[in-house]
């Protein structure tokens, strides 16, 4: 088994967790601190994901939070992983990210997702005339046009946005996103950190059907991986129970604030829930520094992504910082 991952870029996916006993304001402070930490450790990107009506995730106003993180860092790329386009008019997204790209040139990424990122009542509240995600491909193409240089007589343009370099990624957890990213010649990020079932097939489809474009000459795929690292394997496994509990609570229909780790996860879930979590979080590396180095190296060697995005839903902020520091040893020079 390889002990060191190939030198590919590694990024951070932050859900801006709101833990039990804390507030969104504390979450935002922690996110900025973690972003600065990740920048110093050599991570290449710091992405935030759009969710709504979820008390444990504070990144609903994703573009606003991206501005906060980009303003408090200096070199790391900051972006959306992603913006759920069915919730928004493409013009508004182009204006938001055109503004961000004007403020922080060369550092802003825009990942686009097809799901609403919430439940049906909240979806209706977000967009009263929402009729489904069927318009996603045409919305993506409309958004891409807004980043083109404005033409004389163009009736609607993004100000700012027109003519700016804002890399657009397609996000996905199924074959749909892979096919769209391939057909449009865009980079593709697969949500293997919570929905790994179609990962291998989606990657194969993306590479097979990719059409070079002015955006990208050859396919570029990023995979997400849960990584929870601690000084001992037992402590890492204990920290991981926070994420396991959160998944079970979500499936039970009782999402809440991010819970602290527990000593006996077996007493918390049913055998069916345990199997569900094992499947959803199959792409996870949990352990000490050596476990993490070997686990990340093995994952990269097996699936061969162009980039890797690590996420860690850890209750204690200091432990989360330490986990990302230990994970960095898997890709950073010795």
């Amino acid at each position: 088994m390889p002990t060191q991952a190939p030198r590919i870029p590694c990024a951070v996916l932050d859900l801006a967790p709101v833990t039990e006993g804390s507030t969104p304001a504390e979450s935002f402070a922690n996110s900025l601190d973690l972003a600065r930490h990740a920048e110093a450790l050599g991570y290449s990107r710091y992405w935030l994901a759009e969710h709504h009506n979820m008390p444990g995730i504070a990144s609903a106003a994703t573009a606003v939070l991206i501005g906060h993180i980009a303003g408090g860092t200096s070199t790391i790329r900051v972006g959306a992983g992603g913006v759920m386009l069915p919730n928004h008019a493409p013009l508004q997204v182009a204006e938001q990210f055109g503004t961000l790209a004007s403020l922080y040139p060369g550092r802003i990424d825009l990942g686009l997702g097809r799901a609403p990122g919430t439940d049906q009542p909240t979806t209706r509240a977000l967009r009263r005339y929402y009729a489904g995600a069927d318009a996603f491909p045409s919305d993506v193409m409309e958004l891409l046009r807004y980043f083109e240089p404005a033409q004389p007589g163009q009736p609607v343009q993004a100000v700012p946005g027109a003519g700016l370099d804002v890399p657009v990624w397609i996000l996905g957890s199924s074959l749909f996103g892979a096919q769209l990213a391939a057909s449009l010649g865009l980079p593709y990020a697969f949500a293997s950190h919570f929905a790994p079932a179609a990962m291998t097939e989606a990657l194969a489809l993306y590479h097979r059907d990719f059409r070079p474009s002015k955006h990208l000459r050859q396919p570029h795929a990023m995979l997400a991986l849960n990584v929870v690292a601690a000084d001992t394997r037992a402590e890492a496994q204990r920290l991981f129970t926070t994420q396991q509990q959160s998944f079970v609570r979500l499936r039970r229909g009782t999402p809440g604030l991010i819970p602290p780790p527990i000593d006996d996860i077996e007493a918390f879930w049913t055998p069916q829930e345990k199997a569900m979590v094992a499947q959803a979080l199959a792409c996870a590396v949990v352990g000490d520094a050596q476990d993490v180095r070997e686990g990340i190296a093995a994952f990269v060697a097996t699936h061969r992504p162009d980039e890797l995005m690590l996420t860690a839903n850890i209750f204690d902020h200091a432990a989360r910082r330490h986990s990302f520091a230990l994970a960095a040893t898997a890709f950073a020079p010795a």
Side-chain angles (χ1 to χ4, degrees):
M1 178 182 292
T3 58
Q4 187 77 15
R7 294 289 187 263
I8 66 170
C10 272
V12 172
L13 174 62
D14 179 16
L15 297 181
V18 185
T19 58
E20 292 181 7
S22 73
T23 65
E26 292 174 271
S27 171
F28 299 147
N30 288 340
S31 287
L32 180 55
D33 180 68
L34 182 62
R36 289 169 171 164
H37 186 53
E39 183 175 71
L41 290 168
Y43 285 92
S44 58
R45 307 178 194 272
Y46 196 94
W47 282 10
L48 297 132
E50 177 185 349
H51 293 81
H52 300 278
N53 197 31
M54 298 188 71
I57 300 178
S59 51
T62 316
V64 177
L65 190 52
I66 288 170
H68 172 63
I69 300 300
T73 53
S74 58
T75 58
I76 195 169
R77 296 190 68 91
V78 187
V83 163
M84 301 297 106
L85 196 52
N87 299 336
H88 310 276
L91 175 62
Q92 292 174 312
V93 176
E95 291 169 338
Q96 291 169 1
F97 281 79
T99 300
L100 289 167
S102 298
L103 290 168
Y104 311 105
R107 294 184 55 210
I108 300 300
D109 298 326
L110 173 54
L112 300 174
R114 183 171 67 119
T118 187
D119 52 48
Q120 286 301 316
T122 311
T123 297
R124 289 191 290 271
L126 284 165
R127 195 172 185 181
R128 294 182 183 275
Y129 302 104
Y130 176 82
D134 295 340
F136 181 66
S138 59
D139 282 352
V140 171
M141 289 185 283
E142 179 183 347
L143 177 54
L144 290 172
R145 287 195 294 271
Y146 287 129
F147 288 132
E148 297 288 337
Q151 301 300 312
Q154 182 175 326
V156 178
Q157 59 180 282
V159 183
L164 294 183
D165 178 22
V166 181
V168 173
W169 293 66
I170 299 297
L171 312 184
S173 59
S174 68
L175 303 185
F176 183 94
Q179 184 62 63
L180 181 62
S183 66
L184 296 179
L186 294 175
Y188 179 55
F190 189 85
S192 36
H193 62 303
F194 73 88
M199 174 179 60
T200 302
E201 190 177 358
L203 279 181
L205 185 154
Y206 173 65
H207 282 92
R208 184 194 71 205
D209 294 350
F210 181 84
R211 300 176 185 173
S213 71
K214 58 187 174 185
H215 307 289
L216 200 61
R217 296 182 62 86
Q218 58 187 14
H220 190 93
M222 177 159 57
L223 296 179
L225 180 66
N226 298 287
V227 175
V228 176
D231 291 333
T232 67
R233 186 176 300 173
E235 177 60 15
Q237 291 170 343
R238 182 177 179 274
L239 294 176
F240 192 47
T241 63
T242 286
Q243 190 163 355
Q244 292 169 323
Q245 291 176 80
S246 295
F247 259 79
V248 171
R249 290 179 175 184
L250 182 63
R251 295 300 189 271
R252 289 175 180 174
T254 56
L257 300 179
I258 303 302
I262 55 178
D263 294 323
D264 186 7
I265 188 66
E266 299 300 333
F268 173 77
W269 55 22
T270 67
Q272 294 77 17
E273 289 170 338
K274 179 180 180 178
M276 176 273 296
V277 172
Q279 183 179 36
L281 302 182
C283 291
V285 177
V286 180
D288 60 21
Q290 182 176 344
D291 293 330
V292 166
R293 283 194 296 271
E294 293 179 352
I296 291 176
F299 184 84
V300 171
T302 299
H303 302 291
R304 302 191 178 280
D306 299 293
E307 295 192 42
L308 203 58
M309 177 157 279
L310 309 186
T311 187
N313 198 3
I314 295 174
F315 180 84
D316 180 73
H317 180 61
R320 191 161 66 129
R321 281 175 52 99
H322 187 49
S323 178
F324 277 107
L326 291 176
T329 67
F331 65 86

